[in-house]
Amino acid sequence: MYKDLNTSVRTLMTPGPVEAEPRVLRAMCTPILGQFDPEFTEIMNETMAMIRSVFQTENQWAFPIDGTSRAGIEAVLGSIIEPGDRVLIPIYGRFGQLLTEIAERYGADVVNIETDWGQVFNPQVVIQEMQRVKPKIVAMVHGETSTGCMQPLQEIGAACRALDILFVVDAVATIGGTAVKVDEWKIDAAIGGTQKCLSVPSGMAPITFNARVEAILLERKKIERGLADPSTYQKLQTRVIRSNYFDLSQLMDYWSPARLNHHTEATSMLYALREGLRIVLEEGLTVRFARHKLHEQALVQGLKAMGLEIYGDPNCKLPVVTSIRIPAGIDGESVRHRLLQDFQIEIASSFGPLKGKIWRIGSMGYSCRKKNILHVLGALEAVLIRHGAKVYAGRAVQAALDVYDNIEV
Ligand SMILES: *Cc1c(COP(=O)(O)O)cnc(C)c1O
């Protein structure tokens, strides 16, 4: 009655999900192990060590949350925010709004500052606001996939540490594609994603946090135990971590040698993440980040040679997402439709105020390679011509090849 699953082989040039590494997909076919099987706990330990390496941290705590990237965000924010806690969230795109929405659901007293989309914050503006608002937590997005901008974090991290404020960073889009230096930038908790620059399917969120965060978790766990005393019950109840699934204090026991049972680990996803991280570390972080920059340059030069305008401030461009202004009079969705139908290529539109105004091209992980960049440029040129757009025909692919020929030996 239902046909065999037989999906098209697409060229995925969106900011996620991107094409999975073939080795990752093969790893997912590995037989299932019990979650306390010593072979499996060894895989858990290796994965934790590799997560530390990609986050460039010495933190003891580094493990995946089962669920998509926002599950990682919820686990971190929900485990450290107590009702009434003040949280400062600077917004420069859609995912700053997501941090706000999650923090509010856990009862935070959120203070937002906003800057125009297509820009990032001058760190001094954030630091001044921190001094004024005196929050417990500052939560920020590192790479805003909705606009294609990347926020410098080092100065803000240093200021947070000096003022004893916790610094939480959404590095979902950047991890594995550009540097995320958790220790050097004094990030207290960071959340990554799998389906972006790690080229693993969606379904897990690697996170890391330090002893400053751990202290809060242990304190809240102690409170949970104290609930047995009826005289303090009412007062303490509101301070207990609200989610069971996302309770980091329980997850610490699950991912530590104690191995206290929590949920059933997502076996095949863990195989996938382990393989994805292994590929990242085999390539080496420096080489991998340089590869992403090279293909970004080829893409940008190609788009400009065609006569298209890159959206956003070039000084804060996110290297793994390139946003393009949709030329006047062109139906952006119709262009995306033909790219998919005729060329098997998917690029993205955007959200909110940018809907219908920009396209976004991801160059992430396994999708970030010469063949894909050249294909997307050639196809976009052809489709734009079909739509009657004025482009400089024949130049885009040549400009990209110039970048490759000049850099590759
Ligand atoms: C994709 C993305 C998310 C959300 O990830 P899901 O896996 O869809 O939950 C959060 N933050 C940023 C910056 C992202 O790019």
Side-chain angles (χ1 to χ4, degrees):
M1 193 175 159
Y2 296 104
K3 287 183 289 188
D4 283 351
L5 194 61
N6 184 21
T7 59
S8 300
V9 181
R10 307 281 204 213
T11 298
L12 294 180
M13 299 303 279
T14 67
V18 308
E19 296 169 32
E21 285 274 359
R23 271 172 56 184
V24 166
L25 294 177
R26 286 199 293 276
M28 295 185 86
C29 301
T30 305
I32 303 299
L33 290 166
Q35 63 177 340
F36 299 111
D37 185 317
E39 279 187 31
F40 192 72
T41 54
E42 178 62 17
I43 290 170
M44 291 172 76
N45 290 345
E46 288 172 347
T47 306
M48 285 191 278
M50 289 193 281
I51 292 174
R52 279 182 208 113
S53 300
V54 296
F55 277 121
Q56 306 193 45
T57 180
E58 304 285 325
N59 286 345
Q60 176 188 357
W61 299 109
F63 51 82
I65 302 296
D66 290 338
T68 69
S69 319
R70 73 187 61 206
I73 298 172
E74 258 202 74
V76 168
L77 291 181
S79 295
I80 57 180
I81 292 172
E82 294 183 26
D85 279 349
R86 187 161 288 183
V87 182
L88 174 64
I89 303 178
I91 296 179
Y92 62 103
R94 150 103 176 92
F95 289 105
Q97 294 175 339
L98 178 67
L99 290 175
T100 302
E101 139 104 19
I102 292 173
E104 279 175 347
R105 286 195 186 221
Y106 284 92
D109 169 16
V110 175
V111 178
N112 286 130
I113 48 174
E114 286 208 51
T115 189
D116 288 341
W117 290 27
Q119 295 286 332
V120 296
F121 287 91
N122 175 342
Q124 287 310 318
V125 171
V126 178
I127 292 167
Q128 273 166 23
E129 195 64 10
M130 278 159 51
Q131 286 161 340
R132 197 181 67 80
V133 170
K134 299 190 173 37
K136 169 171 153 180
I137 300 161
V138 171
M140 277 197 97
V141 175
H142 184 213
E144 245 309 343
T145 18
S146 64
T147 62
C149 293
M150 182 162 75
Q151 173 69 50
L153 298 174
Q154 187 156 20
E155 272 177 75
I156 300 170
C160 281
R161 192 63 55 92
L163 296 166
D164 198 22
I165 294 167
L166 289 175
F167 191 31
V168 174
V169 171
D170 169 349
V172 169
T174 42
I175 194 75
T178 183
V180 179
K181 299 183 179 184
V182 166
D183 289 357
E184 197 179 314
W185 298 346
K186 303 208 167 19
I187 297 169
D188 294 296
I191 303 103
T194 52
Q195 78 273 29
K196 310 208 177 181
C197 297
L198 296 181
S199 278
V200 170
S202 169
M204 266 191 174
I207 65 163
T208 185
F209 56 89
N210 63 17
R212 282 154 53 87
V213 170
E214 181 186 11
I216 292 178
L217 303 174
L218 295 178
E219 159 83 6
R220 295 186 81 181
K221 193 161 140 190
K222 227 169 34 193
I223 291 168
E224 191 187 331
R225 297 214 180 98
L227 286 185
D229 177 357
S231 66
T232 57
Y233 185 84
Q234 288 258 302
K235 199 166 123 265
L236 295 182
Q237 200 192 20
T238 60
R239 298 200 53 200
V240 169
I241 295 174
R242 301 256 55 108
S243 170
N244 167 293
Y245 193 69
F246 292 138
D247 180 342
L248 287 183
S249 73
Q250 290 192 35
L251 288 166
M252 278 157 59
D253 288 337
Y254 179 69
W255 282 90
S256 73
R259 306 256 176 233
L260 289 188
N261 196 17
H262 182 254
H263 61 291
T264 308
E265 190 43 31
T267 322
S268 307
M269 267 311 293
L270 189 67
Y271 297 157
L273 178 59
R274 179 185 178 279
E275 189 64 5
L277 292 166
R278 205 163 72 98
I279 291 168
V280 170
L281 297 175
E282 263 173 28
E283 184 175 6
L285 294 181
T286 314
V287 173
R288 190 175 177 90
F289 301 155
R291 166 165 68 85
H292 281 84
K293 282 300 288 179
L294 167 66
H295 294 298
E296 178 212 26
Q297 250 187 66
L299 176 64
V300 167
Q301 290 311 318
L303 293 167
K304 285 183 174 169
M306 214 187 295
L308 294 172
E309 189 190 338
I310 307 298
Y311 167 85
D313 181 351
N315 296 314
C316 58
K317 188 180 173 305
L318 174 59
V320 297
V321 178
T322 299
S323 300
I324 306 151
R325 277 191 197 280
I326 299 173
I330 299 296
D331 177 350
E333 285 309 287
S334 169
V335 169
R336 288 198 329 115
H337 182 76
R338 277 208 85 155
L339 282 173
L340 191 69
Q341 290 311 308
D342 294 341
F343 294 90
Q344 302 282 318
I345 295 172
E346 186 179 356
I347 67 168
S349 51
S350 194
F351 315 94
L354 294 177
K355 198 169 160 38
K357 301 226 169 78
I358 64 168
W359 294 301
R360 297 174 304 144
I361 299 183
S363 47
M364 294 176 153
Y366 183 65
S367 278
C368 178
R369 55 194 204 275
K370 189 172 177 177
K371 178 202 125 193
N372 283 6
I373 300 292
L374 296 177
H375 277 212
V376 79
L377 287 170
L380 183 59
E381 179 189 297
V383 171
L384 283 172
I385 291 170
R386 299 304 285 185
H387 280 78
K390 288 200 183 64
V391 296
Y392 298 114
R395 293 193 195 168
V397 172
Q398 293 303 320
L401 285 172
D402 285 345
V403 172
Y404 289 122
D405 290 349
N406 286 337
I407 289 170
E408 279 174 355
V409 270

